[in-house]
Amino acid sequence: MSESIYSRRSNLIIGFHGTTKDRAEKYLSGQLGFHASTHTYDWLGPGMYFWENNLERAKQWAEDAAKREGNGAEPAVIGAVLNLGNCLDLMDSKCLDALKEAYITLKESLEKDGEPLPVNTKGGSRTDLLLRDLDCLVIKTLHGLQKKAGMQPYDSVRGVFWEGEDLYEGAGFKAKNHIQIAIINPNCIKGFFRPRNTNKAYNIV
């Protein structure tokens, strides 16, 4: 996909990363600086994941992850100041077109080799497509096509997700709707911070 003058997201935004208390302290102290997830089912492909402006959702994820793993780790959340740079924004028409072309390329390549496409699956009894093996591979394919064409690589990937039960009867909204960001370029992370409690004596600005 050719880069336009509108491809870069120049504004700083706030993201929240769900993790464990031990790892959170290491991020805040500088012992850890960047850690990319590389699961085959990652929703936005490889990268370090953040919930955009959504501290509560990050807390929910960290708590759920701690329960699943059952290793006694205490859940925690860190904040980060992010610049998305050259972003594969999946709310942008050009980016969606590029992703569809990557899917077509991947499909043709796998068919030629007699290999099946991976599929997105729900995972357990959930109704959401939580395991995004297909989407992950399509995004990775797009990254590869960008590199092969000698184009500017993506610094980040951003997507909106409808997740969870209906918010209310007949709703078009889900209880866990969120925007998620996968940071690929570590330089997009301008700094980590410990989320603060609200000072209720003052207005929120």
Side-chain angles (χ1 to χ4, degrees):
M1 181 183 77
S2 59
E3 186 179 1
S4 77
I5 61 172
Y6 304 108
S7 298
R8 296 178 183 271
R9 304 301 190 264
S10 58
N11 294 334
L12 295 176
I13 64 171
I14 299 298
F16 295 98
H17 179 75
T19 183
T20 64
K21 185 176 181 180
D22 179 62
R23 292 183 67 84
E25 293 303 322
K26 289 180 179 178
Y27 282 120
L28 294 167
S29 68
Q31 291 178 267
L32 287 176
F34 181 80
H35 179 73
S37 179
T38 57
H39 300 298
T40 60
Y41 52 79
D42 285 332
W43 290 28
L44 296 173
M48 186 169 182
Y49 278 67
F50 296 87
W51 310 86
E52 183 176 320
N53 285 353
N54 198 334
L55 174 60
E56 290 306 314
R57 187 69 189 90
K59 286 180 179 177
Q60 290 173 7
W61 185 92
E63 290 166 359
D64 290 344
K67 289 176 183 177
R68 285 195 305 270
E69 294 173 13
N71 57 8
E74 186 176 347
V77 172
I78 56 169
V81 179
L82 308 172
N83 186 319
L84 303 189
N86 184 28
C87 179
L88 177 62
D89 191 335
L90 301 179
M91 291 172 278
D92 181 291
S93 295
K94 285 192 69 176
C95 293
L96 290 170
D97 289 343
L99 193 65
K100 186 173 182 179
E101 289 299 318
Y103 166 77
I104 293 170
T105 299
L106 173 65
K107 185 173 184 291
E108 291 175 347
S109 175
L110 290 177
E111 285 178 347
K112 183 179 179 181
D113 294 337
E115 297 289 338
L117 277 167
V119 295
N120 296 330
T121 57
K122 296 177 181 178
S125 60
R126 296 289 298 274
T127 58
D128 306 299
L129 293 176
L130 295 182
L131 305 178
R132 301 293 185 96
D133 291 71
L134 174 61
D135 294 342
C136 184
L137 188 55
V138 173
I139 290 171
K140 289 169 69 174
T141 298
L142 179 53
H143 289 322
L145 292 173
Q146 289 279 108
K147 182 177 181 180
K148 186 176 180 180
M151 299 171 67
Q152 177 72 29
Y154 292 113
D155 298 307
S156 61
V157 185
R158 179 173 180 257
V160 60
F161 297 98
W162 284 261
E163 183 187 359
E165 302 297 328
D166 289 348
L167 193 59
Y168 47 85
E169 186 177 355
F173 309 104
K174 301 293 184 179
K176 294 183 178 181
N177 286 357
H178 62 274
I179 296 175
Q180 209 164 22
I181 295 165
I183 295 296
I184 302 166
N185 180 350
N187 292 329
C188 290
I189 303 174
K190 304 307 178 184
F192 294 113
F193 64 89
R194 192 187 307 277
R196 297 175 55 208
N197 293 323
T198 301
N199 187 331
K200 296 182 180 179
Y202 295 89
N203 294 329
I204 304 289
V205 295

